Amino acid sequence: MTELSGFTVGVTADRRRDELAALLERRGARVVIAPALRIVPLHDDSQLREATRRCLDTPPDVVVANTGIGMRGWLEAAEGWGLADPLRSVLAEAYIVARGPKARGAVRAAGLHDQWSPDSESCDECLAHLLRRGVGGRTVAVQLHGDQQPEFCASLRAAGADVIEVPVYRWAPPLDPAPLHRLVDLVSNRLVDAITFTSAPAVGALLAAAGAGGDAVLEAMRADVVAACVGPVTAAPLIRQGIPVIAPARARLGALVRAIVDELPRRAVTLRVAEHELTLRGHAAMVDGELKPLAPAPMAVLRALASVPGKVRSRASLLPALPRGADEHAVEMAVARLRAGLGDPGFVQTVVKRGYRLPVD
């Protein structure tokens, strides 16, 4: 058994979803892949070409590199127009701010040198740095990161800068929205243990997909579903909603997985029941060290009983743990499946005319 055996993790990334899923599966997790957004190049590259021409005609004093994929896309497009070398020459003379390690890597891979990066990887810190440094009368090229950045650019203009906005790509909904809607249902019903985010826009896309069920998704993440973010910028919209998040110190997928590995097993509930050690891990129970995968209904009943160990839960009080429309017969069936799944009927004790309990030692 590995660290995440028995746990289910949702992945909202698109571009590096397979890499993240493989890292999680290698540690035993069950992974639900549901891209919240996809990155698409601009259908009409006239805006990017015009921004590039402006940079060549009026070389920027400052360049803000927001993302690695954006900087690479810009230079690749310039290559196609025969403008790569002139563009590199212009950028080499500019004061380059790289918002994060991926942007820094793209800048350096192009043979350029970045002068400054924020510790927080946030646009706000980049803006504060530039305003402190002074941008009055200077030309600032801002490589946009999928969305317009009106407040960022307006603040630079208000400080006297001539801003060149460089649009390279945009965010778009997934081609198939069904996996995302399924993930919304799984989060709302607490059928995933963690959900990962690798970009701030993905948070908004998940809530948009939830529609009227957005409050249920937020409540689940506030209480039972771990929101795991690759870094502080990604975490910011969740924190504003009052959701506790886990995020690694370095914005890397491997570090994100390690944070999940540290967090989920710590949340597991362990009881001594019918002379066995019973641990609840996501969609499975561990009995004396052996993993016992369970279907959602029996697992939900087990969690409800474990919430009041040793005490009796009536059939009626267990109903809310089951899907809507279930009746008391469904509770009886779930208990029967739970006993079979755990391999010993003694784990769940029937108290005549009252209900069920876990006979804790």
Side-chain angles (χ1 to χ4, degrees), residues 243-267:
I243 294 170
V245 301
I246 62 169
R250 298 179 71 241
R252 298 286 190 277
L253 292 187
L256 174 62
V257 171
R258 286 192 293 275
I260 295 170
V261 166
D262 290 341
E263 180 67 16
L264 289 185
R266 186 178 64 78
R267 294 185 169 214

Side-chain angles (χ1 to χ4, degrees), residues 129-150:
H129 171 75
L130 291 176
L131 295 180
R132 281 196 305 270
R133 192 170 181 270
V135 293
R138 296 177 178 271
T139 300
V140 181
V142 180
Q143 175 257 310
L144 304 176
H145 55 59
D147 290 320
Q148 297 297 313
Q149 295 173 251

Side-chain angles (χ1 to χ4, degrees), residues 45-68:
D45 66 1
S46 60
Q47 289 179 294
L48 177 59
R49 190 163 188 164
E50 174 60 24
T52 304
R53 279 289 180 194
R54 283 190 63 193
C55 287
L56 296 178
D57 294 340
T58 309
D61 302 290
V62 178
V63 173
V64 179
N66 267 305
T67 63

Side-chain angles (χ1 to χ4, degrees), residues 323-345:
R324 293 175 186 172
D327 55 19
E328 292 192 7
H329 176 67
V331 174
E332 294 172 2
M333 293 299 297
V335 169
R337 293 171 67 193
L338 174 58
R339 286 168 169 157
L342 294 177
D344 185 346

